[in-house]
């Protein structure tokens, strides 16, 4: 169920979206919906299982000055799947030292994404903190083997 906004005169048949969302396209609208805490449309377990979410350990973290927004370059070990690289905008809550050795969850079957001169191969999962400006990482609360798939 989504939160609806009040219709304005002349809006018949159109969905209301803030002007900034129009400029950012579909990705911007999805991000704006997450910020508003709207629930997404119902999906199926089969669709969810298409995402390959695995446990990894951050092996290296370094600043990423070429990124448009403050970010880190991460090298993450996913066990038998090998190591993957990721760009993560988590500089407000974590230092590079805090990240190294940390267990994280990452989506490993998304296509690579070029960010400046860096190829991000995995999407590290997190949730926005209160106020939505920072991202807190999601990971197991105890040691588990690297590469295990989220059930």
């Amino acid at each position: 169920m989504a939160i609806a906004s009040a219709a304005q005169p002349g809006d018949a048949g159109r969905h209301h979206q803030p002007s900034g969302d129009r400029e950012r396209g579909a990705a911007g609208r999805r991000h704006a919906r997450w910020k508003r805490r709207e629930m997404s449309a119902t999906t199926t377990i089969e669709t969810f299982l298409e995402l390959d979410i695995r446990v990894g350990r951050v092996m290296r973290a370094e600043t990423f000055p070429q990124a448009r927004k403050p970010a880190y370059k991460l090298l993450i070990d996913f066990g038998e799947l090998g190591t993957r690289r990721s760009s993560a905008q988590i500089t407000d809550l974590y230092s590079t030292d805090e990240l190294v050795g940390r267990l994280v969850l990452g989506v490993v079957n998304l296509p690579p994404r070029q960010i400046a001169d860096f190829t991000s191969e995995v999407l590290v999962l997190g949730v926005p903190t209160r106020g939505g400006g920072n991202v807190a990482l999601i990971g197991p609360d105890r040691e588990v083997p690297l590469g295990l798939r989220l059930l």
Side-chain angles (χ1 to χ4, degrees):
M1 179 166 83
I3 299 171
S5 60
Q8 301 295 318
D11 279 352
R14 292 190 324 208
H15 295 287
H16 173 74
Q17 64 181 190
S19 61
D21 288 350
R22 271 193 294 274
E23 294 166 10
R24 288 189 301 266
R29 288 187 299 276
R30 282 191 301 275
H31 183 68
R33 181 177 59 227
W34 294 338
K35 283 184 166 182
R36 290 190 305 262
R37 296 182 181 102
E38 291 181 19
M39 193 165 149
S40 297
T42 302
T43 190
T44 64
I45 190 68
E46 291 79 15
T47 300
F48 174 75
L49 291 175
E50 290 179 14
L51 292 175
D52 192 352
I53 302 171
R54 303 287 181 127
V55 175
R57 183 181 310 280
V58 177
M59 304 304 292
R60 186 173 67 224
E62 57 189 58
T63 58
F64 188 8
Q66 298 86 357
R68 281 185 299 179
K69 295 182 179 178
Y72 292 130
K73 293 179 185 179
L74 305 177
L75 182 67
I76 304 169
D77 182 2
F78 287 97
E80 291 182 8
L81 294 176
T83 58
R84 304 276 175 99
R85 301 172 348 144
S86 182
S87 171
Q89 295 175 358
I90 54 176
T91 58
D92 288 339
L93 293 183
Y94 303 96
S95 70
T96 54
D97 291 339
E98 289 175 294
L99 291 168
V100 173
R102 183 183 191 95
L103 291 176
V104 295
L105 291 177
V107 182
V108 298
N109 66 334
L110 293 173
R113 187 166 184 184
Q114 193 68 35
I115 302 168
D117 63 345
F118 182 77
T119 302
S120 186
E121 303 167 309
V122 61
L123 175 65
V124 175
L125 298 181
V127 295
T129 59
R130 189 178 305 242
N134 302 318
V135 175
L137 293 173
I138 297 174
D141 63 356
R142 58 196 49 165
E143 277 300 313
V144 295
L146 300 180
L148 283 185
R149 187 168 182 172
L150 179 75
L151 300 177

